[in-house]
Amino acid sequence: MSEHKSQDNGSSEERTPKNFLEEIIEKDLKEGRQESVLTRFPPEPNGYLHIGHAKSISVNFGLADQYGGETNLRFDDTNPVTETIEYVENIKHDVRWLGYEWARELYASNYFEDLFGFAITLIRKGLAYVDDSSSEEIAAAKGTPTRPGTNSPYRDRSPEENEDLFRRMRDGEFPEGTRTLRAKIDMASPNMLMRDPVIYRIKHAPHHRTGDKWCIYPTYDMAHGQSDAIEKITHSICTLEFMPHRELYDWFIEKLELFPSRQYEFARLNMSYTIMSKRRLLRLVEENYVDGWDDPRMPTISGLRRRGYTPEAIRNFCTRIGVAKRDNLIDVSLLEFCAREHLNKISLRRMVVFDPIKLVITNWPEGQVEQLVSENNPEDDAAGNRMIPFSGELYIERGDFMEDPPRKFFRLGPGRSVRLKSAFIVTCDDFVKDEDGNVTEVHCRYHPDSRSGSDTSGIKAKGTLHWVSIPHAHKIEVREYDRLFDAENPVDEAAKAAKAEESGKAKEAGKAKEAGKAKEAGKAENAVKAENAGKSKNSGKAAEDTHAGKPSNPGAAGSSQDATSPEDASNSAESLQKHDFTDYINKNSLNIISEAYAEPAMADEPSVAENGPKEYYQFMRKGYYVPDKYSTKEKQIFNRTVTLRDTWAKKQKKK
């Protein structure tokens, strides 16, 4: 069962009318097709979970929780080459961090003996055969969506021969890639997946749970539906790309006479400025574009946690985007909005100056330090207050002062007044420049009767600035993270770039072809003139030379030139290689401020726990921040989660 209820996300009122999965479950329960609800979340442990998986987790666990059911966590561990214990443990950690608890922890490898038995049953029924064809030969014989496939030459082996070969495959007699077990269905099926799919393959690799016990492993389609049936899953909920697999899912259940689990598909999460492919995410890690799977720019749950996203924000995001039947692209700014909405409620407010300039209070008593009271979180009275030291020398942001400010600049400038947060109103009287003309100090006088909370000065200050007392400033490192990609859909952009390049090459080739035709036409015209001029003795030779230099059949020449040459094909492949989603990595996705100055309360920041930050912070007028996992007492490092600006809400108002 989940550790939270559906209404914790505010979803009991918001999710109306019911989505199609809720309608299906309610109908099944009402009509008695199912007595209870049992779903499953079946990740393959070949990488870290990402925000797309968070949606699937939310759907599967959320629906079971909503209807008083349960959810199994089942690892689809059928490929020993790509799967590790590290991935298994991280997946479990992520699911629990999101606030969910599974009823049973299961593995497809739990069922390897059962699945082998199912394969033997299919063989004995004449519904599976051992194929000696190579993977290339199998692919070539599959046909196309508009052309049926051709039967394998091994398709009509007897059940006895197939069972003998399959058992010998299990015993390790054959090298990897030499034989597969295929379901015997229909090589002319309009569904390509029904054209005798491979259901077992040889892999001489140790498994993270079974060791060297097995050297044959079931494919996804062989393992998935049968595992559902063994566990008596009532609603097997997948994303839309698995819709073509449903026919095969049902075929196995029918032929093996198993518990009739049913597969349903919903739209997967596609998000702007984000990659959702584990294969591509692995490339980013392996090719050092990022600092591991939990780099704060990654869309992995680990990366989001390290960046400062809360489980509540992610669950709220999953609820808001809803459950649909058609794929669409979700704006990443909605996820950022959900983070701001929750962080605003829970974050402690702190003052941190990123780009400091010195502010001297000229009428402050020399050496005096006053402790001022400031609230920790105006959204939460229980958060209490803190004391901040105030002195005659402060740091403010360089951008908060201008020598000649415009009329609507509500910060500091000569003769202008501002309020210093939780302190006093100050008025700028002067400033100091260095020999290069850079402002190094701003000189102000403070108004003693303008203390925050008891202001009797009557001075109207339009702006409020954050600040830090220089003698008490605490140095920290700040890492400002932004979107990893600067293209809304990096994969699509790479494909468009490759297509555009090919189009350009085709245009150039067309121009060259036309120029060649014109040149050849000129040669032919000159030859005719020469012949007609009566160069009698040489005319026959001239005509012969002309035909030797130009094909006698112009149509044949055109056909030859119109055909795609091996060089053209090579250029096309080269274009695809030259354009890649990594071309669109945002070079400004990380900006490190090695020396920022924080109020002294930041020195007591607790270390990061395994389950994420213990505290979340709003650096006033900057954004939301959390300590990084590498942060120490000696060197504190803070990651920016999101900026303060609510871009998604502004877009919604414009609609």
Side-chain angles (χ1 to χ4, degrees):
M1 291 288 288
S2 307
E3 293 179 353
H4 64 90
K5 297 297 179 185
S6 301
Q7 58 265 30
D8 287 351
N9 293 332
S11 55
S12 56
E13 289 81 22
E14 290 175 11
R15 290 194 296 189
T16 53
K18 290 180 170 59
N19 66 56
F20 76 98
L21 291 175
E22 291 170 327
E23 290 175 349
I24 288 169
I25 291 173
E26 290 190 7
K27 185 177 181 183
D28 285 348
L29 293 173
K30 183 178 179 180
E31 296 180 359
R33 273 194 290 272
Q34 306 293 347
E35 293 182 0
S36 60
V37 175
L38 179 60
T39 63
R40 84 289 169 274
F41 174 60
E44 185 178 356
N46 62 352
Y48 281 37
L49 299 183
H50 54 63
I51 186 68
H53 294 108
K55 178 180 177 181
S56 183
I57 292 167
S58 174
V59 170
N60 278 286
F61 282 87
L63 285 170
D65 186 43
Q66 185 178 346
Y67 293 100
E70 295 179 330
T71 300
N72 290 343
L73 175 62
R74 185 211 310 140
F75 292 93
D76 180 23
D77 56 341
T78 57
N79 187 351
V81 177
T82 61
E83 297 159 358
T84 69
I85 288 290
E86 175 196 350
Y87 293 144
V88 169
E89 292 303 317
N90 186 267
I91 288 168
K92 287 157 61 176
H93 182 208
D94 285 348
V95 173
R96 282 197 170 114
W97 179 77
L98 283 171
Y100 300 100
E101 190 60 51
W102 48 91
R104 286 162 286 277
E105 181 181 322
L106 301 167
Y107 297 80
S109 54
N110 291 352
Y111 311 129
F112 278 175
E113 202 66 58
D114 299 278
L115 295 170
F116 180 81
F118 293 154
I120 293 293
T121 298
L122 291 174
I123 289 171
R124 289 175 179 175
K125 286 186 172 185
L127 297 174
Y129 62 96
V130 173
D131 195 340
D132 298 358
S133 304
S134 68
S135 58
E136 292 79 13
E137 289 169 335
I138 291 174
K142 279 270 189 177
T144 69
T146 56
R147 177 174 54 81
T150 54
N151 289 346
S152 165
Y154 308 99
R155 196 174 195 264
D156 295 324
R157 278 173 164 159
S158 70
E160 293 75 20
E161 183 183 4
N162 282 316
E163 183 173 344
D164 174 65
L165 286 170
F166 187 54
R167 291 187 181 278
R168 289 163 63 192
M169 284 170 61
R170 175 179 178 167
D171 292 339
E173 285 191 32
F174 307 118
E176 198 165 311
T178 57
R179 283 179 169 84
T180 58
L181 183 70
R182 298 176 68 181
K184 190 175 184 180
I185 307 178
D186 181 5
M187 289 301 291
S189 172
N191 183 346
M192 297 287 286
L193 288 171
M194 298 297 285
R195 296 184 184 181
D196 291 10
V198 171
I199 58 176
Y200 263 92
R201 70 278 204 216
I202 300 170
K203 284 187 179 291
H204 292 288
H207 188 277
H208 67 94
R209 293 188 74 244
T210 61
D212 295 319
K213 182 178 179 181
W214 294 88
C215 62
I216 57 170
Y217 292 93
T219 59
Y220 168 85
D221 286 306
M222 182 63 190
H224 183 72
Q226 287 61 266
S227 298
D228 282 349
I230 290 169
E231 295 170 19
K232 293 183 167 52
I233 299 298
T234 60
H235 299 83
S236 180
I237 302 167
C238 306
T239 44
L240 279 178
E241 64 265 32
F242 292 99
M243 185 180 285
H245 295 253
R246 192 202 305 166
E247 186 178 359
L248 183 55
Y249 183 102
D250 293 340
W251 184 87
F252 279 123
I253 285 176
E254 177 193 342
K255 301 304 180 186
L256 293 168
E257 301 176 53
L258 301 175
F259 177 84
S261 294
R262 290 289 304 276
Q263 176 178 304
Y264 304 95
E265 305 87 14
F266 69 97
R268 64 176 291 168
L269 172 59
N270 298 303
M271 196 163 67
S272 61
Y273 302 95
T274 308
I275 292 291
M276 291 292 191
S277 159
K278 275 200 282 188
R279 176 174 54 83
R280 292 188 175 101
L281 293 176
L282 180 61
R283 270 194 61 198
L284 294 175
V285 173
E286 291 181 338
E287 296 176 20
N288 298 314
Y289 288 104
V290 294
D291 177 30
W293 283 98
D294 69 344
D295 186 298
R297 293 165 293 182
M298 290 279 273
T300 56
I301 296 174
S302 295
L304 293 168
R305 178 168 57 243
R306 183 177 169 192
R307 184 159 172 172
Y309 280 81
T310 63
E312 293 87 350
I314 294 173
R315 293 200 306 264
N316 184 24
F317 169 72
C318 292
T319 298
R320 284 176 179 269
I321 60 178
V323 177
K325 289 185 177 182
R326 290 190 300 176
D327 280 328
N328 58 353
L329 186 67
I330 302 297
D331 194 327
V332 68
S333 60
L334 174 55
L335 177 62
E336 295 165 349
F337 167 80
C338 292
R340 288 189 192 94
E341 186 178 53
H342 188 237
L343 290 171
N344 183 54
K345 297 173 183 176
I346 66 169
S347 296
L348 297 177
R349 272 50 170 181
R350 295 292 183 261
M351 293 193 283
V352 180
V353 175
F354 289 14
D355 183 18
I357 186 172
K358 187 175 183 179
L359 185 150
V360 178
I361 301 179
T362 55
N363 61 333
W364 186 262
E366 186 176 351
Q368 179 174 315
V369 176
E370 192 161 339
Q371 297 292 331
L372 304 176
V373 179
S374 189
E375 73 277 9
N376 282 321
N377 186 348
E379 302 291 323
D380 180 11
D381 292 338
N385 299 318
R386 69 191 186 284
M387 305 304 292
I388 309 173
F390 187 86
S391 68
E393 292 188 343
L394 312 173
Y395 281 138
I396 63 169
E397 295 288 352
R398 185 171 296 277
D400 284 341
F401 174 81
M402 289 184 72
E403 294 179 57
D404 185 19
R407 188 169 60 88
K408 291 190 177 181
F409 183 78
F410 300 127
R411 285 167 273 174
L412 269 178
R416 296 201 177 186
S417 299
V418 296
R419 175 168 292 283
L420 299 178
K421 170 66 179 171
S422 299
F424 303 93
I425 293 175
V426 295
T427 301
C428 176
D429 295 319
D430 200 3
F431 56 90
V432 177
K433 289 185 175 184
D434 61 18
E435 57 188 18
D436 295 323
N438 299 312
V439 176
T440 56
E441 289 184 10
V442 178
H443 290 186
C444 297
R445 55 192 158 84
Y446 90 108
H447 302 277
D449 54 354
S450 66
R451 180 192 294 267
S452 292
S454 58
D455 183 1
T456 59
S457 68
I459 301 171
K460 299 217 184 264
K462 290 186 177 179
T464 300
L465 307 184
H466 65 282
W467 53 273
V468 173
S469 171
I470 292 177
H472 307 91
H474 176 68
K475 283 185 185 179
I476 64 172
E477 180 178 299
V478 175
R479 297 180 179 179
E480 296 185 304
Y481 289 100
D482 204 343
R483 296 169 184 178
L484 183 56
F485 296 95
D486 53 20
E488 186 175 72
N489 192 325
V491 176
D492 280 3
E493 288 302 319
K496 287 177 189 175
K499 188 174 180 180
E501 182 172 325
E502 281 309 299
S503 177
K505 284 181 180 177
K507 276 186 181 179
E508 291 302 317
K511 288 178 183 176
K513 183 169 73 175
E514 290 305 314
K517 283 182 178 178
K519 190 174 181 181
E520 291 299 330
K523 283 182 182 178
E525 186 179 348
N526 289 337
V528 171
K529 285 180 181 177
E531 189 173 352
N532 290 341
K535 296 182 180 177
S536 54
K537 171 164 85 167
N538 294 325
S539 63
K541 186 174 183 302
E544 185 181 335
D545 288 345
T546 301
H547 288 294
K550 183 174 183 289
S552 59
N553 183 349
S559 299
S560 173
Q561 288 169 343
D562 287 342
T564 302
S565 69
E567 184 179 355
D568 289 337
S570 173
N571 286 338
S572 179
E574 183 184 345
S575 292
L576 288 171
Q577 288 174 353
K578 282 196 295 186
H579 298 283
D580 187 60
F581 75 96
T582 57
D583 298 342
Y584 301 93
I585 287 179
N586 178 10
K587 294 177 175 56
N588 299 312
S589 61
L590 171 58
N591 175 45
I592 297 177
I593 301 168
S594 55
E595 284 193 2
Y597 295 88
E599 60 177 272
M602 294 298 295
D604 299 323
E605 158 58 32
S607 59
V608 179
E610 181 186 0
N611 213 35
K614 293 178 181 177
E615 294 287 1
Y616 297 84
Y617 294 92
Q618 183 194 106
F619 291 175
M620 296 176 65
R621 303 174 64 224
K622 294 293 184 181
Y624 294 96
Y625 294 79
V626 292
D628 186 68
K629 69 175 185 177
Y630 295 122
S631 183
T632 64
K633 274 284 188 189
E634 294 72 31
K635 183 180 180 180
Q636 290 184 311
I637 303 169
F638 289 83
N639 300 331
R640 183 175 72 189
T641 309
V642 286
T643 57
L644 287 178
R645 188 181 176 195
D646 193 349
T647 54
W648 184 80
K650 288 189 177 182
K651 286 181 183 177
Q652 293 301 103
K653 286 178 183 177
K654 289 180 181 178
K655 289 183 179 180

